[in-house]
Amino acid sequence: AQRVTQPEKLLSVFKGAPVELKCNYSYSGSPELFWYVQYSRQRLQLLLRHISRESIKGFTADLNKGETSFHLKKPFAQEEDSAMYYCALRGQGAQKLVFGQGTRLTINP
Amino acid sequence: NAGVTQTPKFQVLKTGQSMTLQCAQDMNHNSMYWYRQDPGMGLRLIYYSASEGTTDKGEVPNGYNVSRLNKREFSLRLESAAPSQTSVYFCASSDWANGLANGNTIYFGEGSWLTVV
């Protein structure tokens, strides 16, 4: 079975502070992992995917297969980062994504 | 390029009424999805269609039916709405490579806010 767990429903940090949104997964094969973001009243959009190993809007995420984690990090939070963040997993050859429960990130001025 | 469009955007239903949420994509994607978004529950897959002519249940299919009318359109029907179906519904589409690929992603519509009273 595939499962994605985001243990924090709410996360609040001050502007300029580091941010880490946690994501753990359960999957026996080699997963494909994603982070999606939903800004207020907007549609969900892709933030980054693990195979790209890219930094988007200052965010990075590293797949740790030993810990089955894909935590999202940013060294210095900005107010515009306030949004809902979802971690998602696609199993090998699967035609669907499984999402976590989401973390609402609030950046305080 | 509109991407994924869904209608209606807002709807209030009485318990027991029926309605259909419409979704269309113009990206020539094979796969289409219906998710519901609830506070604390995240996004849960209701039904999906991996290709034209096929549909499969997701995590929470009870109380819903779907139709993949053609490659572009995927509708979600509530036959007898219940208050537990009050939610935000998202349609999405994608085309997945067989393996890992930089182009792999899923595209979402803007959402449909449904309230059942």
Side-chain angles (χ1 to χ4, degrees):
Chain A
Q2 303 167 18
R3 177 171 288 188
V4 177
T5 303
Q6 294 178 248
E8 305 135 329
K9 289 185 181 179
L10 302 170
L11 184 62
S12 182
V13 301
F14 286 101
K15 178 182 173 181
V19 173
E20 183 179 46
L21 288 81
K22 291 185 168 53
C23 172
N24 291 91
Y25 67 89
S26 174
Y27 181 63
S28 56
S30 291
E32 194 171 358
L33 285 153
F34 304 83
W35 276 98
Y36 284 82
V37 61
Q38 184 181 28
Y39 300 104
S40 181
R41 291 291 186 179
Q42 293 187 26
R43 67 182 76 198
L44 283 94
Q45 56 188 285
L46 177 68
L47 181 61
L48 53 81
R49 52 173 76 88
H50 88 268
I51 64 165
S52 302
R53 301 189 64 80
E54 57 196 344
S55 174
I56 303 295
K57 299 185 179 183
F59 285 98
T60 59
D62 290 318
L63 176 59
N64 186 324
K65 291 188 176 181
E67 295 183 359
T68 60
S69 68
F70 188 55
H71 303 326
L72 183 68
K73 300 177 184 179
K74 184 170 183 176
F76 306 104
Q78 298 173 310
E79 288 185 63
E80 54 265 34
D81 295 330
S82 293
M84 191 76 174
Y85 291 81
Y86 288 98
C87 183
L89 177 150
R90 177 187 173 225
Q92 283 174 286
Q95 297 297 316
K96 60 182 180 178
L97 281 182
V98 175
F99 285 84
Q101 301 92 325
T103 298
R104 182 168 297 282
L105 176 64
T106 301
I107 307 302
N108 300 306
Chain B
N1 189 343
V4 180
T5 56
Q6 54 182 109
T7 57
K9 191 154 188 175
F10 300 97
Q11 184 73 49
V12 178
L13 286 177
K14 292 183 179 178
T15 297
Q17 285 186 319
S18 61
M19 77 158 296
T20 300
L21 297 173
Q22 307 285 355
C23 176
Q25 52 93 8
D26 61 4
M27 295 172 282
N28 203 36
H29 286 163
N30 285 309
S31 301
M32 296 186 73
Y33 311 85
W34 278 104
Y35 286 91
R36 59 178 290 174
Q37 182 185 42
D38 302 288
M41 305 294 287
L43 282 164
R44 293 180 293 170
L45 184 63
I46 304 171
Y47 271 94
Y48 69 104
S49 171
S51 61
E52 187 179 355
T54 68
T55 60
D56 285 286
K57 294 179 180 179
E59 303 167 65
V60 288
N62 291 343
Y64 304 95
N65 285 303
V66 290
S67 294
R68 184 74 183 267
L69 304 170
N70 47 55
K71 192 171 185 178
R72 288 187 67 248
E73 298 172 289
F74 189 41
S75 62
L76 178 72
R77 182 160 178 83
L78 286 70
E79 291 291 351
S80 178
S84 61
Q85 294 178 304
T86 294
S87 187
V88 183
Y89 291 84
F90 287 96
C91 180
S93 72
S94 67
D95 246 358
W96 300 107
N98 283 333
L100 301 179
N102 271 323
N104 277 347
T105 189
I106 186 169
Y107 295 87
F108 284 89
E110 292 184 307
S112 297
W113 276 254
L114 176 65
T115 301
V116 183
V117 298

